[in-house]
Amino acid sequence: MKILFIYALLAFLGLSIVISVDWLTGTPLSQSFSFLTSIFATTTFQELVVIIIFLFLPVFQIVKEAFKKKTGQ
């Protein structure tokens, strides 16, 4: 569970850095999140699959460890 917390914390810190840089340059908050749409608008299907795999990797790791503890291995 610690790894998922660290993963979420790093995602939050990265997002806050992007938004604070936009805020310092005078970009409105509603336009600060437009980078997410532009990222996914220019990706191909293969790149999207890789992004999704890397996003869910910590969750898969936690599920695997919980299953391993449950079975007693």
Side-chain angles (χ1 to χ4, degrees):
M1 202 62 172
K2 292 178 192 175
I3 195 168
L4 191 60
F5 175 72
I6 292 170
Y7 189 71
L9 182 65
L10 289 174
F12 174 75
L13 288 174
L15 189 61
S16 66
I17 287 172
V18 170
I19 291 174
S20 45
V21 167
D22 284 344
W23 180 70
L24 288 173
T25 59
T27 305
L29 187 63
S30 61
Q31 290 181 349
S32 292
F33 291 102
S34 67
F35 76 93
L36 290 172
T37 57
S38 64
I39 287 172
F40 289 112
T42 59
T43 58
T44 63
F45 179 72
Q46 291 86 2
E47 292 169 338
L48 185 63
V49 169
V50 171
I51 289 170
I52 290 171
I53 288 172
F54 275 103
L55 283 176
F56 285 108
L57 215 57
V59 176
F60 292 142
Q61 180 70 22
I62 290 171
V63 169
K64 185 180 92 174
E65 290 297 322
F67 183 72
K68 190 184 290 186
K69 285 182 183 178
K70 187 177 181 180
T71 59
Q73 294 180 354

